[in-house]
Amino acid sequence: METLFLQILKMSVTASYVIICIILVRFLLKRAPKIFSYALWLVVLFRLICPLSFESMFSFVPADTQVPMQNIMHPHTQDSSDRLIPITPVVTDNRLPVNTVQPVNESATRTWVSFGAVLWLLGIAILLAYSILTAIGLYINLKSSKHVADNIYEKSGIQTPFVFGILKPKIYLPTCISEKERVYIIKHEQTHIKRFDHIIKPIAYLVLCIHWFNPLVWLAFFLMSEDMELSCDERVIKQLGSAIKKDYTTSLLSLSTGKRVIRGCPLAFGENNTKGRIMHILNYKKPGFWVVIVAVIAVAAVYIGLMSNPQQHHMTVEDYALAFIEQDIASHEKNHGHNYQIIDSAITTLEKLAAFDAMYASPLELWRFEYRLKPDDASKVMFAGGMYMDDGWIIDESGGERMLIFSYENDRPKYIGSMWSMEDNLTTLAGQETVLRKYLEETGLLPRVTYKGNHVLVKFPLSLGDMSQLFLSQPVIQGEQGIWCVERWKDTNGNLYYASPITDGLIMDYYRDLQEQCDQGHQPALLDPLQVALDYTNTHIGIDGLHLTLDDLKVQYDATVEDFAKTPESHFTAYITTFSVEDEGFHFDRFEWLTYDDTDRLKELNIDPDSLPNGYYIHNHDTYPMHGSTTEQTQYRLVNRLDEAPHVSVSKQDFNAYLEQFTDYSPPFSIIAKDGYVVSITEIYVP
């Protein structure tokens, strides 16, 4: 709803400029027939209801009335249609200039926009309710009208003649008018019907209800209604002759309601600026030929100039690439201008790597982009890793290959952002698709899920105590007949990895082929998410010595994206080898704490369960230290030897003092880690 409200605001801003122009042109055409002034309001109607238009070099509309209204919701986002705006990529290019837009409270902006949208809907509801209830009341009151002829009815008690109805309009007359008055009054109302004014005015009122917050739209509605009546008066005088002017104006005065009525129907004879209409009728003369010609030309020019948008310069891919280089040069001059200046630049590679039609709301293209910069004094250039000098030119390969990303709207490229390839696989179309999806998700342009529908979360030990998790989806068909795939996985440090199948084609085509094979009875294991998860962990993750069984997997069916977003906790049993109060980091030596319940593992190690000393066994196959990082939130718990509570919480200083008392012996601890940091360290009770 907020998006629709912002679009209405954008249309109303443009229409406001058009209304002001129409009022000025209307003044210039005051000697022309009013039908031309009436026709001008069609341009306003078009601008108020149509979000799109065509571009023209003859447009009178200034470009600044076409600013995208999404900037209200996302104030950090600028329109990239005519400038290059770096979006934070997956691998940030730190040499790009920083966006200078000052930070604002985006949440507060959203709140105000949401409040405005609710208020806007409330205003529409009130105006429509008023109009509908008024029309229903009038319809009920007119049921007792007397039929005179054709679509003409008489009704006592009404103050002025009017047309009522849309599909089958009827003319209603007061019983007090004379036969002489009936002729031109009926002619007036019939003119309205022939010109479809009884349809045009309700539409105009509906548009007014939508743009009720804009005072210029209210003014436009009043002036349009006035031009409608004046042009109709002129038509009647032209058909019946100037001799009726006196009687016509007398009837208009006697049947006047004396007020302006804000509604879409009925079309009343005695409403809308009666004094002005009388003066216009008395002064009306048949316009000259050249007046009409000038009016036609003026109206045509206004239609073209105000219905069209100004032509914009649409940048090509090469334009964006050159603008990118300009930004990089500006960054060099800002950061290193006191040492050297960039005197030349050259694009060495600009080629389309891949195109994807179904990934995003509009088609996407991935372009390989390489360029070099030439400094005035190469000896003063300081090089970071991956940068070097070649024949006086600076070459930057610090992040692998640079990629530019474009979407296409109306066959025109629109810059999305740039990224480094780093170690990602770009040799296959599937690899390119995965890298692009990763970028779009990181920048918030795509949701953090590849396939909608059913999902399964599977947690598995990546190594001793180190827990990771897989996110599985059904890419082609949902339900029992649909295959499963691993679309991504996450380790205990919160690092995210995307699963990219080994194929030269598109990923979805690969899975459709697997689905077809499965439908034919091949590879039935793909229908079982646990089998798919087990195969992926043992085959694709590639950790030496990692060979899991189904018993090692912990499955959560009907999982959500939010479930996967939570980093799994890793649980270690370990000896702490180094620890200090001053350092956040420490080292620990992992081991397996085995009890009578671990029968399979004891059997694998050829250990007799009956020979376990004190009911447990510590298996430490290596003493390679692991690194852990504590935070201010890390909890420390020691065995409570004073009362019934199993553990007591202590400070980091007390925990360190407890460790320092041991020289030849180190107590075992249970360590819980998540997102790369230690959550808690708890001493294990040793009988």
Side-chain angles (χ1 to χ4, degrees), residues 41-67:
W41 297 110
L42 180 61
V43 181
V44 176
L45 183 64
F46 171 80
R47 283 296 187 177
L48 289 172
I49 64 177
C50 186
L52 303 176
S53 185
F54 59 95
E55 293 184 2
S56 170
M57 62 182 296
F58 302 106
S59 176
F60 301 151
V61 179
D64 54 3
T65 64
Q66 304 297 310
V67 175

Side-chain angles (χ1 to χ4, degrees), residues 337-351:
H338 59 285
N339 293 327
Y340 63 89
Q341 298 289 323
I342 300 298
I343 60 175
D344 198 3
S345 63
I347 296 176
T348 56
T349 302
L350 184 60
E351 60 179 359

Side-chain angles (χ1 to χ4, degrees), residues 166-365:
I166 295 178
L167 299 180
K168 295 181 179 180
K170 298 180 177 66
I171 299 173
Y172 292 90
L173 305 175
T175 56
C176 61
I177 62 175
S178 64
E179 289 297 327
K180 185 178 181 181
E181 290 177 309
R182 285 174 180 265
V183 176
Y184 45 80
I185 290 176
I186 291 175
K187 177 65 68 174
H188 179 99
E189 305 303 343
Q190 286 177 340
T191 302
H192 276 311
I193 295 174
K194 288 180 180 179
R195 298 191 320 187
F196 300 102
D197 290 342
H198 63 290
I199 297 175
I200 294 174
K201 190 169 184 181
I203 293 176
Y205 180 78
L206 178 61
V207 174
L208 172 66
C209 292
I210 295 173
H211 294 267
W212 62 266
F213 53 84
N214 189 338
L216 286 176
V217 177
W218 288 87
L219 178 60
F221 181 78
F222 287 132
L223 295 179
M224 182 218 68
S225 300
E226 182 176 305
D227 289 340
M228 176 190 293
E229 294 299 334
L230 289 174
S231 62
C232 197
D233 292 337
E234 288 181 351
R235 183 66 176 173
V236 173
I237 299 300
K238 183 178 180 181
Q239 290 182 345
L240 300 182
S242 299
I244 68 164
K245 282 185 178 182
K246 183 177 180 181
D247 293 334
Y248 190 89
T249 54
T250 301
S251 299
L252 186 59
L253 182 61
S254 63
L255 297 173
S256 171
T257 61
K259 59 183 178 180
R260 294 179 183 265
V261 181
I262 308 172
R263 60 190 178 199
C265 63
L267 290 174
F269 178 76
E271 293 178 352
N272 292 307
N273 190 16
T274 303
K275 180 180 178 181
R277 289 173 62 187
I278 291 174
M279 295 298 296
H280 181 74
I281 292 169
L282 294 176
N283 295 325
Y284 175 75
K285 296 179 181 179
K286 183 178 179 180
F289 173 77
W290 289 109
V291 172
V292 174
I293 293 298
V294 170
V296 170
I297 295 173
V299 170
V302 167
Y303 269 54
I304 296 174
L306 295 181
M307 277 190 170
S308 61
N309 290 332
Q311 284 185 327
Q312 298 180 0
H313 169 66
H314 300 286
M315 296 178 67
T316 65
V317 170
E318 185 175 359
D319 291 334
Y320 284 115
L322 292 173
F324 190 100
I325 295 175
E326 289 178 4
Q327 285 194 345
D328 198 7
I329 293 174
S331 177
H332 272 275
E333 293 178 348
K334 178 181 179 181
N335 298 324
H336 310 289
H338 59 285
N339 293 327
Y340 63 89
Q341 298 289 323
I342 300 298
I343 60 175
D344 198 3
S345 63
I347 296 176
T348 56
T349 302
L350 184 60
E351 60 179 359
K352 184 169 69 174
L353 194 62
F356 303 95
D357 294 332
M359 182 183 297
Y360 189 54
S362 55
L364 293 174
E365 288 185 356

Side-chain angles (χ1 to χ4, degrees), residues 434-446:
T434 301
V435 170
L436 185 55
R437 169 168 287 279
K438 179 181 178 182
Y439 175 88
L440 295 175
E441 289 185 12
E442 290 292 333
T443 53
L445 297 177
L446 282 181

Side-chain angles (χ1 to χ4, degrees), residues 45 116 142 169 197 256 288 349 416 421 453 505 516 576-577 622 635 639:
L45 183 64
L142 292 176
D197 290 342
S256 171
T349 302
I416 296 295
S421 64
E516 185 177 346
I576 295 179
T577 56
D622 65 57
Q635 298 180 356
V639 172

